[in-house]
Amino acid sequence: MPVLVITGTGTEVGKTVATAAVAAAALAAGRTVAVLKAAQTGVRPDEPGDADEVARLAGAVTKAEVARYPEPLAPATAARRAGLKPVRPHEIAEAAAKLATEHDLVLVEGAGGLLVRFDHEGGTLAHAAELLRAPVLVVASAGLGTLNTTELTARELRRRKLDLAGVVIGSWPDSPDLASRCNLADLPDVSGAPLLGALPGGAGRLPPADFRAAAPGWLAPRLDGTWDAEAFGVREAPPGGL
């Protein structure tokens, strides 16, 4: 798995912090890691972006961006409004492939959800994953509403014959409500893929040293972690697709 594409079921689900956790666990396992932000929006040229935040939390990763735009909008819209060149899926794939020749693991973080548009022709992160033939990790929220958005994302990945590596909960609450607790069983069912971890709420606010020490415990062994899904209350996903 030299390249892993990371997408969210929407915005504000904890995708960047989850990317940092995956990077930190891989680094702790002795792997070299690069993080590629496909399209950074909502930051000025002199401001740190999501790749910088991953590096701050995870440690010694190579960080890269394909493009950035100042307004916090979908990349295609942000590029148009700024009068800048849009990101093309082949550019994302080429940048990731180059990094993969020099690193054990390349994490490609998308912008928002799987089908957020990068250009006016409808290019998306899904197209980049197709070009890379890379598995996709989906970061989902814990509570009410997550089953629909997770299933829609999983169905689209399978429609495109992309490998859904699994689902990670981006922010697990200190006091989970009934919906969140039920979703531990339901997320594997609706996605047809294993739940590969759950990050505690506020993980991104931890001091970096504490984040790096704790990150493997939030992720399953498939992601270089030590998370015990069964002890957390997760049962195995059923065989087969959606």
Side-chain angles (χ1 to χ4, degrees), residues 145-209:
T146 194
L147 299 181
N148 181 62
T149 53
T150 302
E151 183 165 1
L152 287 171
T153 302
R155 283 178 178 268
E156 181 63 16
L157 287 168
R158 291 203 167 85
R159 187 184 73 81
R160 293 171 179 267
K161 297 181 172 56
L162 287 167
D163 176 21
L164 172 53
V167 177
V168 167
I169 294 173
S171 180
W172 182 252
D174 291 335
S175 300
D177 60 12
L178 177 61
S180 296
R181 296 196 303 272
C182 290
N183 287 341
L184 290 177
D186 293 339
L187 278 168
D189 279 345
V190 303
S191 67
L195 194 58
L196 295 180
L199 278 65
R205 296 192 296 271
L206 290 173

Side-chain angles (χ1 to χ4, degrees), residues 120-144:
H120 307 311
E121 287 74 42
T124 66
L125 186 67
H127 291 105
E130 288 173 339
L131 292 170
L132 287 162
R133 298 182 181 179
V136 179
L137 180 68
V138 173
V139 181
S141 59
L144 197 64

Side-chain angles (χ1 to χ4, degrees), residues 40 42-53 63 65 68:
Q40 178 68 63
V43 294
R44 299 189 306 267
D46 59 337
E47 287 183 308
D50 290 345
D52 297 288
E53 178 65 2
K63 56 186 181 180
E65 293 176 355
R68 65 163 53 195

Side-chain angles (χ1 to χ4, degrees), residues 11-33:
T11 58
E12 305 300 325
V13 296
K15 184 171 71 271
T16 296
V17 179
T19 300
V22 174
L27 289 169
R31 305 171 77 186
T32 57
V33 180

Side-chain angles (χ1 to χ4, degrees), residues 1 21-29 31 105 196-198 212-229:
M1 189 173 57
V22 174
L27 289 169
R31 305 171 77 186
L105 177 64
L196 295 180
R212 296 165 196 171
W218 304 330
L219 300 170
R222 185 173 178 182
L223 295 175
D224 296 311
T226 59
W227 186 67
D228 187 339

